[in-house]
Amino acid sequence: MNFDEFKYKISNLKNLELPGESAQIKLAPAMRVSELKALDIASKKPNKAGVMAIFYPNDRQVTNLVLILRKTYRGVHSNQVGFPGGRAEVFDKNMKSTALRETEEEVGIPRDEVTVVKKLTKLYIPPSNFWVHPYVGLLNATPKLIKQESEVEKILEIDIDEFLDERNLISKKLSTSYAKDIDVPAFSLNGHIVWGATAMMLSELKELLIKSL
């Protein structure tokens, strides 16, 4: 999709009601759905994180979305695809500021050049005990993407048409932090399997985009 067309239509997003959990659980492993229903999240005193789903024109003026492949490390999100973003710090004004700051640090997109279009439904991630607050952002120019070497293995630029294509919704047998060899709903994007919390947030974003575009 041409970026000028996307930019014109994305303004509809502001007025749409969030589909929320009903959209998120479509891309949640069955075990995760039952786990979330049984949790007393408040008692766990979760940490907070902010992430950004940023759309921008590539050098052919085609609308792209940026995702990242995280480094391999000893942690529950090792070598997984996610949004740029991260943990809230005491000096952040709010969760939007966290998402913008972390995005600039991880992929080099200047925070003051991003127009935040909408806040999506927050999502709790049990393995890492985080409330994640996702935002949708718009960048008017093709960015010079620079990965944060300590955090990011690879920057992934996703064509919006690939993201919206129903053929890229798949089921994959994976071993997770809480179970082995389970069937997991996922997106197949740029040759990578996107599952778990990121897929759940993408599921809500996709529903909103379909209504907007």
Side-chain angles (χ1 to χ4, degrees):
M1 178 180 291
N2 176 271
F3 185 73
D4 286 338
E5 179 186 358
F6 175 82
K7 183 180 175 182
Y8 173 74
K9 292 182 177 180
I10 197 68
S11 60
N12 298 326
L13 207 68
K14 299 176 183 178
N15 302 319
L16 292 178
E17 185 177 347
L18 291 173
E21 186 179 310
S22 65
Q24 292 174 344
I25 61 174
K26 291 178 181 179
L27 267 290
M31 291 181 64
R32 176 57 56 83
V33 175
S34 57
E35 180 185 12
L36 287 171
K37 287 181 179 179
L39 280 177
D40 178 8
I41 298 174
S43 69
K44 296 184 175 296
K45 298 180 179 178
N47 296 302
K48 294 179 180 179
V51 300
M52 288 293 307
I54 293 184
F55 293 95
Y56 59 90
N58 67 8
D59 56 6
R60 294 177 291 109
Q61 294 302 300
V62 172
T63 305
N64 276 10
L65 166 69
V66 64
L67 296 174
I68 61 170
L69 177 65
R70 297 205 172 275
K71 292 275 191 181
T72 299
Y73 64 99
R74 290 187 177 182
V76 295
H77 303 302
S78 171
N79 199 231
Q80 291 184 12
V81 175
F83 293 106
R87 180 194 293 265
E89 301 291 353
V90 293
F91 50 77
D92 290 329
K93 181 179 179 181
N94 49 39
M95 294 311 305
K96 182 171 73 173
S97 297
T98 296
L100 290 167
R101 174 184 58 76
E102 283 281 345
T103 296
E104 182 171 2
E105 291 174 4
E106 290 194 334
V107 298
I109 295 176
R111 67 194 84 178
D112 58 356
E113 295 180 12
V114 178
T115 300
V116 177
V117 178
K118 195 175 187 70
K119 184 182 189 299
L120 302 181
T121 304
K122 67 178 181 178
L123 179 66
Y124 178 67
I125 306 179
S128 55
N129 193 33
F130 266 92
W131 271 120
V132 178
H133 297 253
Y135 294 83
V136 181
L138 203 62
L139 186 67
N140 287 321
T142 305
K144 181 180 180 181
L145 297 171
I146 304 169
K147 70 176 184 177
Q148 185 180 24
E149 291 294 340
S150 60
E151 299 282 343
V152 180
E153 181 65 31
K154 186 179 181 181
I155 294 175
L156 308 177
E157 297 185 79
I158 311 298
D159 186 315
I160 189 174
D161 292 326
E162 180 185 1
F163 170 51
L164 295 176
D165 191 335
E166 290 295 322
R167 292 172 294 183
N168 291 321
L169 278 176
I170 64 170
S171 179
K172 187 78 172 178
K173 193 174 289 291
L174 296 172
S175 293
T176 73
S177 61
Y178 50 88
K180 290 186 177 181
D181 295 326
I182 61 170
D183 290 319
V184 174
F187 289 93
S188 176
L189 300 171
N190 276 22
H192 293 269
I193 304 302
V194 186
W195 61 282
T198 302
M200 293 171 71
M201 290 182 279
L202 281 172
S203 181
E204 182 179 43
L205 176 59
K206 181 178 176 180
E207 284 200 13
L208 287 170
L209 288 177
I210 289 172
K211 292 177 182 177
S212 297
L213 305 177

